Amino acid sequence: PFAGMVSEMSAKTETTEAAEGPVSWTPQAERRLERVPDFVRGFAKTMIEDMARQEGSGEVNDALMDAAKTKFM
């Protein structure tokens, strides 16, 4: 699962991500992100924000966190 995250992330470019705009996080989603191990938290945050953008949402919430957990775990 982690290898899949890394390979998907390496396919992204920073300019593409920046052009898609910022994503906000609900307080509950931020608390859940804090429980992700430090060494992978940055990757996880980027992938979850990309999922939000792909779904046309500008916000990461509990439902999206659940979907990300299912997808990446």
Side-chain angles (χ1 to χ4, degrees), residues 3 6-7 16 20 23 32-35 39 42 48 51 54-56 65-67 70:
V6 172
S7 65
T16 301
E20 293 174 345
V23 173
R32 289 178 70 174
L33 183 65
E34 289 173 5
R35 294 194 308 255
F39 72 93
I48 294 165
M51 284 180 65
Q54 288 170 1
E55 293 182 3
M65 293 294 285
D66 290 340
T70 299

Side-chain angles (χ1 to χ4, degrees), residues 4-5 8 10 12 14-15 23 25 48 53 56 58 60 65:
M5 274 179 50
E8 283 183 40
S10 64
K12 304 280 183 192
E14 290 182 22
T15 55
V23 173
W25 288 69
I48 294 165
R53 289 182 188 105
V60 176
M65 293 294 285

